[in-house]
Amino acid sequence: MSILSVRCLSQKFCRQAYILANRSILSPTQKLPPTNGTCRPAHDSLYHMVKKRTLEARTKLQANKYPNHQACLTTPRSSEYEQDYDDPPPGYTTTNINNNNNPPYTTMPSSSSPPVSSSSQSSGSSYKNIPNQEPQYKVGYADCRTVCSASEVLKSSECEKSKPVIDPCKQEKDPCEEFRRIRRETNTVGGSGDGSDGAGGSGGAGGGQGDKDCEEKNRALKLKCLLGALAALLAGGFLAWILSNRSKDGSGKGAGDGDDDEDSETALKRAQITGKVTTPASSESLPKHVPYLIIGGGTAAFSAFRAIKSNDATAKVLMISNEYRKPYMRPPLSKELWYTPNANEDPIKDYRFKQWTGSERSLYFEPDEYFMDPEKLEDSVKGGIAVAQGFAVKKVDAQNRVVTLNDGYQIAYDECLIATGCAPKNLTMFRDAPPSVREKVMVYRTPEDFDRLRRYAKEKRSITIVGNGFIGSELACSLAHFSKQNGGGKVYQVFQEKGNMSKVLPNYLSAWTMKKMEELGVCVIPDASIREAARDESHLKLELNNGMTLLSDIVVVCVGCSPNTALANPSRLEVDRSLGGFVVNAELEARRNLYVAGDASCFYDPLLGRRRVEHHDHSVVSGRLAGENMTGAKKPYQHQSMFWSDLGPEVGYEGIGLVDSSLPTVGVFALPSASERQADNLTESENSSENHRTVETSIGDSEKTSPFECESDEKEEYGKGVIFYLKNDKIVGILLWNLFNRIGLARTIINQNKKYDDLNEVAKLFEIHS
């Protein structure tokens, strides 16, 4: 119900109440001087003729004016009006009941309408004085005036009742007196001069008292109508307010819908997960001052808390997160979680999955019981960690050590860490698309995204992945496996590069990986981009720049992410122009007592220069170091972070250092057997007993490969191997292909920062044949 509708309804209430209050329901009568005589007998013939014609003329006039009013009938009375039957009493009409010589009867008009004559329709009507016999016409009176209520006033301005209601003020009165009084009310002129008022002389005093009582009741009825209209107006406004609140909430439940305690708790949890309810409910429940404040609720933030707690047993840590979950890890969302059978359907439950080693664990770092309520943090003697879910920080005053939330609430701190992470990117064409297209497009980063995509996959929808990076390639393999196990729809992967993971893997290994993904069931479309997206009744129509057209139910954009640095401008913090992220020193400090860790930090690497890393290991280690420095350690960040990726359970790799396919690479792979060795395009090591091959690629300004090139008809197998990434003939990055638990050795080799004459000898250290 809109505000305009409520306003119109209110105006109607007031108008109808005004009309009802001013209507002459029981208007006071014009009292005539009482006559002491009785009803006179018949007059001379001239007087009867004049009176009769006057009555007929007046009756016809009022019948023409009110043609639709009908008369009311009551029981016959034989003791009245027996003096003269030549003419009916004034105001009465005669009507034949039928044509069977039945005596006519006289009817009385209703008080709300003038008398209507039906004598023109009655033939043979006569009036004769027949003493001591039953009258040939019947006298009756009934007040047909309806009684209006407030509800009827709302329906119509005319009070209409199908059944007449007798006015209780007039039930005990004489019919002749009532007839004369009603006639005087209808005709506002004085007496007709016929002396007909004499019949009511004996009841004059009683009639005056009755008129007074009716007037009082009339006033009471007016007051009731006004109060009823006012009550209806207030009720309508209250109903409109309830409807407006329900439309805003969109819940479909009114205020009176009662649920039990379990349903209320479940609804609260769902609301917290979907981002409708903050924890606590208001920011004013948060403490005014905390020793340790962490902005962000991801991996780096929780790792920093663990480091703080290990160095300060009674530390009180407040974590402010704009998400509505406790801290969790992100890598399983595109890997193991899809391969776990019978995964949890309910998003409220804990996300549990099986690792490749067979052990089972949860997506969350700790259960809910591990955390304490923010309201109890200040009073805790042993300290602990509290998470304020659903809040965001808009400004950090590093000089005064105060943070300001979006609602203006301020929290003072002693030490603060910014670990805001990064947000997934979207394509411009989808951001600017109509809503019908945007609702079919999603990014992938949170458990909510996993639940939504898994639901689409179980419904056998076709899914298109845009991007060939870590998330895009891992998700494409996982979806293909899930669709194969559950009879799902087709999985497409579209990207502009020539192969999967082309920014990380050398060209030959990227092309081999793409073929491997096609064997897993992914329809890979390289060298293509989406030119236009349109929506039909149920699908997205994707037109590619290579002339192809795809029909897809959902599009998942996986084209990287950008650091969350919205705090930088109002907080006057420096952001790297080329890499993004908050610029920090070797101790991860952006300002004194203000640290940055995780994906949002841009740090200086003594070996590789200024860097910003978006890997899980970097978040863990940088968060731990920042937490130690917040307790006074003041250690420099010199860690070479690693990453890992899984393309299904058969292919996995780990990398460390600067792993960039634009750098020259040397790859050493183990051959399946000696008979399958191909020496045409491979550089053999001096020790031929070592069953391996070396692949060297050098990429400069123009892309070229030497001396190995993967032909289309060749079926190379890259079971195990190691790839060295070189810069100025020094190893700056190492990728271990299907080799695990050797990342420590790779880190040692990079930290040596030296040139090697024979990389085959270095590859032997990794035992690729074991």
Side-chain angles (χ1 to χ4, degrees):
M1 180 180 295
S2 63
I3 300 299
L4 183 59
S5 301
V6 175
R7 181 179 177 184
C8 294
L9 185 59
S10 303
Q11 292 178 351
K12 186 174 181 179
F13 287 156
C14 297
R15 183 172 61 251
Q16 297 299 336
Y18 180 80
I19 293 174
L20 183 60
N22 290 275
R23 180 180 297 167
S24 297
I25 300 178
L26 292 174
S27 59
T29 60
Q30 296 182 1
K31 297 184 178 181
L32 297 177
T35 57
N36 297 325
T38 59
C39 293
R40 299 169 63 184
H43 294 275
D44 54 21
S45 59
L46 179 62
Y47 172 78
H48 279 289
M49 180 181 65
V50 172
K51 185 177 70 171
K52 184 175 181 180
R53 291 181 180 178
T54 302
L55 178 62
E56 290 178 356
R58 183 180 301 156
T59 302
K60 290 181 180 180
L61 178 62
Q62 304 234 3
N64 295 331
K65 186 176 181 180
Y66 302 99
N68 296 323
H69 286 194
Q70 297 178 358
C72 300
L73 300 178
T74 58
T75 57
R77 304 193 181 203
S78 58
S79 61
E80 305 257 354
Y81 303 106
E82 295 183 356
Q83 291 94 350
D84 185 12
Y85 296 98
D86 291 337
D87 291 320
Y92 283 77
T93 59
T94 60
T95 305
N96 283 337
I97 299 178
N98 48 41
N99 296 326
N100 297 328
N101 297 322
N102 292 327
Y105 67 93
T106 305
T107 60
M108 179 70 180
S110 64
S111 61
S112 61
S113 62
V116 180
S117 173
S118 58
S119 59
S120 58
Q121 301 174 3
S122 305
S123 59
S125 298
S126 62
Y127 302 92
K128 296 183 179 180
N129 188 1
I130 307 176
N132 301 326
Q133 291 185 10
E134 291 294 330
Q136 296 181 358
Y137 60 90
K138 298 179 181 181
V139 180
Y141 168 78
D143 188 0
C144 299
R145 185 179 295 107
T146 58
V147 178
C148 298
S149 62
S151 60
E152 294 167 335
V153 172
L154 301 181
K155 296 179 181 179
S156 173
S157 61
E158 293 291 334
C159 295
E160 297 179 358
K161 288 285 185 174
S162 59
K163 185 177 180 180
V165 180
I166 304 299
D167 190 345
C169 300
K170 307 173 183 178
Q171 289 180 355
E172 302 298 329
K173 294 187 179 182
D174 185 81
C176 294
E177 174 63 19
E178 295 299 332
F179 164 74
R180 296 186 181 93
R181 188 180 63 80
I182 294 173
R183 183 175 180 183
R184 288 196 301 270
E185 293 176 5
T186 306
N187 303 309
T188 57
V189 298
S192 59
D194 56 2
S196 60
D197 294 338
S202 61
Q209 182 65 31
D211 292 341
K212 184 176 181 180
D213 295 339
C214 291
E215 184 177 357
E216 292 178 357
K217 290 190 177 183
N218 184 19
R219 293 176 181 175
L221 183 59
K222 290 181 181 180
L223 181 60
K224 290 181 180 179
C225 291
L226 289 175
L227 293 178
L230 181 59
L233 180 62
L234 295 176
F238 181 71
L239 180 60
W241 178 77
I242 292 178
L243 294 177
S244 62
N245 286 345
R246 291 180 60 183
S247 62
K248 289 180 181 179
D249 294 340
S251 60
K253 291 184 178 182
D257 294 338
D259 298 330
D260 54 16
D261 295 339
E262 182 178 358
D263 293 340
S264 299
E265 293 178 359
T266 302
L268 178 60
K269 290 182 180 180
R270 290 186 182 276
Q272 292 174 349
I273 290 175
T274 55
K276 295 181 179 179
V277 178
T278 59
T279 305
S282 173
S283 60
E284 296 187 1
S285 301
L286 301 175
K288 288 286 187 179
H289 176 272
V290 289
Y292 301 96
L293 179 65
I294 300 177
I295 304 173
T299 302
F302 191 76
S303 179
F305 160 72
R306 284 177 170 171
I308 294 172
K309 193 67 175 176
S310 62
N311 291 275
D312 186 356
T314 61
K316 300 177 182 179
V317 182
L318 176 63
M319 185 182 298
I320 301 177
S321 174
N322 61 354
E323 292 196 58
Y324 294 82
R325 293 180 181 272
K326 297 298 190 294
Y328 61 91
M329 62 180 73
R330 299 188 189 276
L333 292 174
S334 59
K335 301 180 181 70
E336 295 96 333
L337 207 57
W338 289 94
Y339 295 87
T340 302
N342 299 324
N344 294 317
E345 298 289 344
D346 196 337
I348 295 177
K349 296 180 180 179
D350 191 11
Y351 291 84
R352 305 197 66 83
F353 62 93
K354 285 187 177 181
Q355 297 176 306
W356 302 127
T357 58
S359 60
E360 183 176 320
R361 65 168 301 174
S362 170
L363 191 70
Y364 296 97
F365 292 112
E366 296 291 346
D368 289 345
E369 296 78 12
Y370 182 84
F371 304 90
M372 65 189 315
D373 295 334
E375 299 93 333
K376 302 178 181 179
L377 183 61
E378 288 183 308
D379 300 332
S380 176
V381 178
K382 297 182 179 180
I385 180 173
V387 182
Q389 301 175 192
F391 295 94
V393 177
K394 69 176 182 180
K395 180 182 178 181
V396 178
D397 188 349
Q399 184 175 358
N400 298 319
R401 300 185 187 182
V402 175
V403 300
T404 304
L405 305 185
N406 279 347
D407 59 0
Y409 187 79
Q410 292 185 341
I411 303 175
Y413 65 86
D414 295 334
E415 303 288 336
C416 181
L417 170 66
I418 298 177
T420 52
C422 60
K425 296 179 182 178
N426 201 348
L427 299 179
T428 305
M429 64 172 302
F430 290 134
R431 286 200 307 266
D432 301 337
S436 59
V437 174
R438 289 201 305 268
E439 68 181 8
K440 290 287 187 179
V441 180
M442 61 177 291
V443 294
Y444 193 81
R445 188 167 178 82
T446 64
E448 287 80 19
D449 298 331
F450 168 78
D451 293 329
R452 179 184 178 188
L453 194 58
R454 188 174 185 271
R455 184 174 66 253
Y456 278 114
K458 293 196 69 173
E459 293 174 356
K460 301 181 180 181
R461 305 288 187 92
S462 59
I463 302 173
T464 300
I465 310 294
V466 180
N468 72 332
F470 290 102
I471 302 297
S473 299
E474 292 170 0
L475 192 58
C477 291
S478 300
L479 281 171
H481 170 80
F482 187 84
S483 298
K484 186 181 296 184
Q485 295 293 325
N486 297 273
K490 190 69 176 176
V491 178
Y492 302 94
Q493 188 181 14
V494 180
F495 48 83
Q496 297 178 348
E497 294 77 13
K498 294 183 179 298
N500 289 85
M501 305 296 303
S502 59
K503 292 183 179 180
V504 175
L505 303 178
N507 288 341
Y508 62 89
L509 195 56
S510 176
W512 181 86
T513 303
M514 183 176 65
K515 293 180 181 179
K516 190 71 174 178
M517 293 186 63
E518 290 176 345
E519 294 176 1
L520 294 175
V522 181
C523 181
V524 184
I525 306 176
D527 296 318
S529 62
I530 300 176
R531 184 178 62 184
E532 185 179 356
R535 171 77 183 272
D536 60 8
E537 295 182 356
S538 58
H539 295 84
L540 274 182
K541 183 179 180 182
L542 306 176
E543 294 185 3
L544 308 183
N545 59 352
N546 60 3
M548 296 180 61
T549 300
L550 295 179
L551 290 179
S552 179
D553 293 301
I554 191 71
V555 175
V556 186
V557 181
C558 304
V559 292
C561 62
S562 57
N564 295 320
T565 57
L567 283 173
N569 215 12
S571 305
R572 298 183 179 181
L573 300 177
E574 183 181 359
V575 175
D576 190 274
R577 294 184 178 180
S578 59
L579 300 175
F582 298 95
V583 176
V584 295
N585 60 12
E587 289 79 21
L588 301 181
E589 271 189 322
R591 291 287 187 273
R592 184 62 61 96
N593 304 114
L594 180 61
Y595 300 83
V596 184
D599 299 346
S601 64
C602 184
F603 61 96
Y604 179 76
D605 190 322
L607 295 177
L608 306 176
R610 182 67 62 179
R611 300 182 65 193
R612 189 179 70 85
V613 181
E614 298 175 355
H615 298 308
H616 179 80
D617 180 68
H618 169 68
S619 297
V620 173
V621 177
S622 64
R624 181 170 62 239
L625 180 65
E628 293 176 355
N629 290 342
M630 291 170 73
T631 58
K634 303 302 178 184
K635 296 179 180 179
Y637 184 74
Q638 298 175 345
H639 176 73
Q640 288 296 332
S641 61
M642 58 86 63
F643 65 89
W644 80 95
S645 181
D646 300 313
L647 301 178
E650 298 180 0
V651 178
Y653 55 91
E654 296 177 350
I656 188 173
L658 191 59
V659 180
D660 190 345
S661 62
S662 63
L663 299 174
T665 62
V666 175
V668 180
F669 293 86
L671 293 176
S673 63
S675 60
E676 296 177 1
R677 293 169 57 191
Q678 297 182 3
D680 296 342
N681 298 324
L682 301 177
T683 302
E684 296 283 350
S685 65
E686 294 180 359
N687 188 359
S688 59
S689 62
E690 295 287 348
N691 190 15
H692 66 271
R693 59 182 174 182
T694 304
V695 181
E696 299 179 2
T697 62
S698 176
I699 301 179
D701 296 337
S702 60
E703 186 174 303
K704 55 184 178 180
T705 61
S706 172
F708 174 77
E709 210 172 279
C710 184
E711 300 295 338
S712 60
D713 57 346
E714 294 178 351
K715 295 182 179 179
E716 302 293 345
E717 290 294 334
Y718 298 96
K720 292 182 179 181
V722 56
I723 304 171
F724 301 101
Y725 293 80
L726 307 176
K727 186 176 184 180
N728 299 328
D729 296 331
K730 295 180 180 180
I731 300 176
V732 295
I734 297 176
L735 189 140
L736 304 175
W737 189 259
N738 285 330
L739 291 175
F740 306 99
N741 301 322
R742 295 171 175 83
I743 202 69
L745 176 61
R747 182 177 287 110
T748 301
I749 294 174
I750 293 177
N751 290 335
Q752 290 178 355
N753 193 27
K754 58 182 291 187
K755 296 181 180 181
Y756 294 94
D757 296 334
D758 189 359
L759 294 179
N760 287 322
E761 295 297 325
V762 181
K764 292 178 183 179
L765 300 175
F766 292 93
E767 299 178 355
I768 60 178
H769 295 284
S770 62

